Coordinates of all heavy atoms in Angstrom, one line a residue:
P524 N 76.8 79.1 71.1 CA 77.7 80.0 70.6 C 78.8 79.4 69.7 O 79.2 78.3 69.9 CB 78.4 80.6 71.9 CG 78.3 79.4 72.8 CD 77.0 78.7 72.5
H525 N 79.2 80.2 68.7 CA 80.2 79.7 67.8 C 81.2 80.9 67.6 O 80.8 81.9 67.1 CB 79.7 79.3 66.4 CG 78.8 78.1 66.5 ND1 79.3 76.8 66.7 CD2 77.5 77.9 66.5 CE1 78.3 75.9 66.8 NE2 77.2 76.6 66.6
G526 N 82.4 80.7 68.0 CA 83.4 81.8 67.9 C 83.5 82.7 69.0 O 84.6 83.0 69.6
S527 N 82.3 83.2 69.5 CA 82.3 84.2 70.6 C 80.9 84.2 71.2 O 79.9 83.8 70.5 CB 82.7 85.6 70.1 OG 81.9 86.1 69.1
V528 N 80.8 84.8 72.4 CA 79.6 85.1 73.0 C 79.5 86.6 73.1 O 80.3 87.3 73.6 CB 79.5 84.5 74.4 CG1 78.2 85.0 75.2 CG2 79.4 83.0 74.4
L529 N 78.4 87.2 72.5 CA 78.2 88.6 72.6 C 77.5 89.0 73.9 O 76.7 88.2 74.5 CB 77.4 89.1 71.4 CG 78.0 88.8 70.0 CD1 77.1 89.4 68.9 CD2 79.4 89.5 69.9
A530 N 77.7 90.2 74.4 CA 77.2 90.6 75.7 C 75.7 90.4 75.8 O 75.2 90.0 76.9 CB 77.6 92.0 76.0
P531 N 74.9 90.7 74.8 CA 73.4 90.6 74.9 C 73.0 89.2 75.3 O 71.9 89.0 75.8 CB 72.9 91.0 73.6 CG 73.9 91.9 73.0 CD 75.2 91.3 73.5
G532 N 73.8 88.2 74.9 CA 73.5 86.8 75.2 C 73.8 86.3 76.6 O 73.5 85.2 77.0
V533 N 74.5 87.2 77.4 CA 74.9 86.8 78.7 C 73.8 87.1 79.7 O 73.3 88.2 79.8 CB 76.2 87.6 79.2 CG1 76.5 87.3 80.6 CG2 77.4 87.2 78.2
V534 N 73.4 86.1 80.5 CA 72.4 86.2 81.5 C 73.1 86.7 82.8 O 72.6 87.6 83.5 CB 71.7 84.9 81.7 CG1 70.7 85.0 82.9 CG2 71.0 84.4 80.5
D535 N 74.2 86.1 83.2 CA 74.9 86.5 84.4 C 76.4 86.0 84.2 O 76.7 85.1 83.4 CB 74.3 85.8 85.6 CG 74.6 86.5 86.9 OD1 75.3 87.6 86.8 OD2 74.3 86.0 88.0
A536 N 77.2 86.6 85.1 CA 78.6 86.2 85.0 C 79.2 86.4 86.4 O 78.8 87.4 87.1 CB 79.4 87.0 84.0
D537 N 80.2 85.6 86.8 CA 80.8 85.7 88.1 C 81.6 87.1 88.1 O 82.3 87.5 87.2 CB 81.8 84.6 88.3 CG 81.2 83.3 88.6 OD1 80.0 83.3 88.9 OD2 81.9 82.2 88.5
V538 N 81.4 87.8 89.3 CA 82.0 89.1 89.4 C 83.5 89.1 89.4 O 84.2 90.1 89.2 CB 81.5 89.8 90.6 CG1 80.0 90.1 90.5 CG2 81.8 89.1 91.9
D539 N 84.1 87.9 89.7 CA 85.6 87.9 89.8 C 86.3 87.6 88.5 O 87.5 87.4 88.4 CB 86.1 86.9 90.9 CG 85.7 85.5 90.6 OD1 84.8 85.3 89.8 OD2 86.2 84.6 91.3
I540 N 85.5 87.5 87.4 CA 86.1 87.3 86.1 C 86.8 88.6 85.6 O 86.3 89.7 85.8 CB 85.0 86.9 85.1 CG1 84.4 85.6 85.4 CG2 85.6 86.9 83.6 CD1 83.2 85.2 84.5
R541 N 88.0 88.4 85.1 CA 88.8 89.4 84.6 C 89.1 89.2 83.1 O 89.1 88.0 82.6 CB 90.2 89.6 85.3 CG 90.0 89.8 86.8 CD 89.4 91.2 87.1 NE 89.2 91.4 88.5 CZ 88.0 91.3 89.1 NH1 87.0 90.9 88.5 NH2 87.9 91.5 90.4
V542 N 89.4 90.2 82.3 CA 89.7 90.1 80.9 C 90.9 89.2 80.8 O 92.0 89.4 81.5 CB 90.0 91.4 80.3 CG1 90.5 91.2 78.8 CG2 88.8 92.3 80.3
G543 N 90.8 88.1 80.0 CA 91.9 87.2 79.8 C 91.7 85.9 80.7 O 92.4 84.9 80.4
D544 N 90.8 85.9 81.6 CA 90.5 84.7 82.4 C 89.9 83.6 81.6 O 89.2 83.8 80.6 CB 89.5 85.0 83.5 CG 90.2 85.4 84.8 OD1 91.3 84.9 85.0 OD2 89.6 86.1 85.6
E545 N 90.3 82.3 81.9 CA 89.6 81.2 81.4 C 88.2 81.1 82.0 O 88.1 81.2 83.2 CB 90.4 79.9 81.7 CG 90.1 78.7 80.9 CD 90.7 78.8 79.5 OE1 91.3 79.8 79.1 OE2 90.6 77.8 78.8
V546 N 87.2 80.9 81.2 CA 85.8 80.8 81.7 C 85.1 79.6 81.1 O 85.3 79.2 80.0 CB 85.0 82.1 81.3 CG1 85.6 83.3 82.1 CG2 85.1 82.4 79.8
V547 N 84.2 79.1 82.0 CA 83.2 78.1 81.6 C 81.9 78.8 81.2 O 81.4 79.6 81.9 CB 82.9 77.1 82.7 CG1 81.9 76.1 82.3 CG2 84.2 76.4 83.0
V548 N 81.4 78.5 80.0 CA 80.2 79.2 79.5 C 79.1 78.1 79.4 O 79.3 77.1 78.7 CB 80.5 79.8 78.1 CG1 79.2 80.5 77.5 CG2 81.6 80.8 78.2
E549 N 78.0 78.4 80.0 CA 76.9 77.4 80.0 C 75.6 78.0 79.9 O 75.3 79.1 80.5 CB 77.1 76.6 81.3 CG 76.2 75.3 81.3 CD 76.5 74.4 82.4 OE1 77.2 74.8 83.4 OE2 76.1 73.2 82.4
G550 N 74.7 77.3 79.1 CA 73.3 77.8 79.0 C 72.4 76.6 78.8 O 72.9 75.4 78.8
P551 N 71.1 76.8 78.5 CA 70.2 75.7 78.3 C 70.6 74.8 77.2 O 70.2 73.6 77.2 CB 68.9 76.4 78.1 CG 69.0 77.7 78.7 CD 70.5 78.1 78.5
K552 N 71.3 75.3 76.2 CA 71.5 74.6 74.9 C 73.0 74.3 74.7 O 73.3 73.6 73.7 CB 70.9 75.3 73.7 CG 69.4 75.4 73.7 CD 68.9 76.0 72.4 CE 67.4 76.1 72.4 NZ 66.9 76.6 71.1
A553 N 73.9 74.8 75.5 CA 75.3 74.7 75.2 C 76.2 74.6 76.4 O 75.8 75.2 77.5 CB 75.7 75.8 74.3
F554 N 77.3 74.0 76.3 CA 78.4 74.0 77.3 C 79.7 74.3 76.5 O 80.0 73.7 75.5 CB 78.5 72.6 78.0 CG 79.6 72.6 79.0 CD1 79.4 73.0 80.3 CD2 80.8 72.0 78.7 CE1 80.4 73.0 81.3 CE2 81.8 72.0 79.7 CZ 81.6 72.5 81.0
A555 N 80.4 75.3 77.0 CA 81.6 75.8 76.3 C 82.7 76.2 77.2 O 82.4 76.4 78.4 CB 81.2 76.9 75.3
V556 N 83.9 76.4 76.7 CA 85.0 77.0 77.4 C 85.7 78.0 76.5 O 85.8 77.8 75.3 CB 85.9 75.9 77.9 CG1 86.6 75.2 76.7 CG2 87.0 76.4 78.9
G557 N 86.2 79.0 77.1 CA 86.8 80.1 76.3 C 87.6 81.1 77.2 O 87.9 80.8 78.4
R558 N 87.8 82.2 76.7 CA 88.6 83.3 77.4 C 87.8 84.6 77.4 O 87.2 85.0 76.4 CB 89.9 83.5 76.7 CG 90.9 84.2 77.6 CD 92.3 84.2 77.0 NE 92.9 82.9 76.8 CZ 93.4 82.2 77.8 NH1 93.4 82.8 79.0 NH2 94.0 81.1 77.6
A559 N 87.7 85.2 78.6 CA 86.9 86.4 78.8 C 87.5 87.6 78.1 O 88.7 87.8 78.1 CB 86.9 86.7 80.3
E560 N 86.6 88.4 77.4 CA 87.0 89.6 76.8 C 86.5 90.8 77.5 O 86.7 91.9 77.1 CB 86.5 89.6 75.3 CG 87.1 88.6 74.4 CD 88.5 88.8 74.2 OE1 89.0 90.0 74.1 OE2 89.3 87.8 74.0
M561 N 85.7 90.6 78.6 CA 85.2 91.6 79.4 C 85.4 91.1 80.9 O 85.5 89.9 81.1 CB 83.7 91.9 79.2 CG 83.3 92.5 77.9 SD 81.5 92.7 77.8 CE 81.3 93.5 76.2
F562 N 85.4 92.1 81.8 CA 85.3 91.6 83.2 C 83.9 91.2 83.6 O 82.9 91.6 82.9 CB 85.9 92.7 84.2 CG 85.2 94.0 84.2 CD1 84.2 94.3 85.0 CD2 85.7 95.1 83.4 CE1 83.6 95.6 85.1 CE2 85.1 96.3 83.4 CZ 84.0 96.6 84.2
G563 N 83.7 90.5 84.7 CA 82.4 89.9 84.9 C 81.2 90.8 85.0 O 80.2 90.6 84.3
R564 N 81.3 91.9 85.7 CA 80.2 92.8 85.8 C 79.9 93.5 84.5 O 78.7 93.7 84.2 CB 80.5 93.9 86.9 CG 79.4 94.9 87.1 CD 79.7 95.7 88.4 NE 80.9 96.5 88.2 CZ 80.8 97.7 87.7 NH1 79.7 98.2 87.2 NH2 81.9 98.4 87.6
E565 N 80.9 93.7 83.7 CA 80.7 94.3 82.4 C 79.9 93.3 81.5 O 79.1 93.8 80.7 CB 82.1 94.6 81.7 CG 82.0 95.4 80.4 CD 83.3 95.7 79.8 OE1 84.3 95.1 80.2 OE2 83.4 96.6 79.0

Side-chain angles (χ1 to χ4, degrees):
H525 295 285
S527 61
V528 171
L529 300 181
V533 174
V534 175
D535 199 7
D537 289 345
V538 295
D539 62 345
I540 292 173
R541 303 291 178 260
V542 175
D544 266 333
E545 198 77 355
V546 291
V547 175
V548 179
E549 191 168 14
K552 294 186 177 181
F554 180 82
V556 64
R558 195 170 297 282
E560 295 294 326
M561 295 179 175
F562 60 89
R564 185 167 62 87
E565 186 180 20

